[in-house]
Amino acid sequence: MAIFRYQPSPFCVLDEVDAPLDEANIGRLTRLLQEMSEQTQFVVITHSKRTMEAASALYGVTMQEPGVSRLVSVRFNAAEAAA
């Protein structure tokens, strides 16, 4: 992350980077990502509820009926942005 701070990119994909972390370190990671998201758009693939809570949008796939997948998206703070 230190190198990424020095040489930022317009976007970054992180796949399950929070999986080995405990709750305290997940909190540190999400604060760091929120801070760095002013310059970079992060796509984080995760199963951690705590990491999902920090997101501004969630995208997922659900299968309510066997064999039928649906894409689901939720944007947070949309009401604040519209006001």
Side-chain angles (χ1 to χ4, degrees):
M1 291 306 259
I3 293 171
F4 198 77
R5 276 188 163 201
Y6 178 73
Q7 189 70 31
S9 174
F11 69 93
C12 178
V13 178
L14 302 171
D15 185 9
E16 296 286 343
V17 294
D18 56 352
L21 302 178
D22 62 358
E23 289 296 316
N25 286 315
I26 288 177
R28 290 183 186 104
L29 175 67
T30 57
R31 282 192 301 275
L32 180 65
L33 292 177
Q34 286 175 341
E35 183 181 303
M36 293 176 68
S37 68
E38 294 177 12
Q39 295 181 346
T40 303
Q41 180 179 6
F42 288 95
V43 176
V44 181
I45 301 166
T46 185
H47 289 95
S48 168
K49 292 177 186 176
R50 183 112 186 248
T51 304
M52 287 184 227
E53 288 173 356
S56 59
L58 291 177
Y59 300 95
V61 178
T62 184
M63 188 182 297
Q64 293 179 347
E65 300 175 37
V68 180
S69 298
R70 268 186 67 197
L71 295 177
V72 179
S73 66
V74 178
R75 289 192 178 267
F76 302 106
N77 301 327
E80 292 176 14

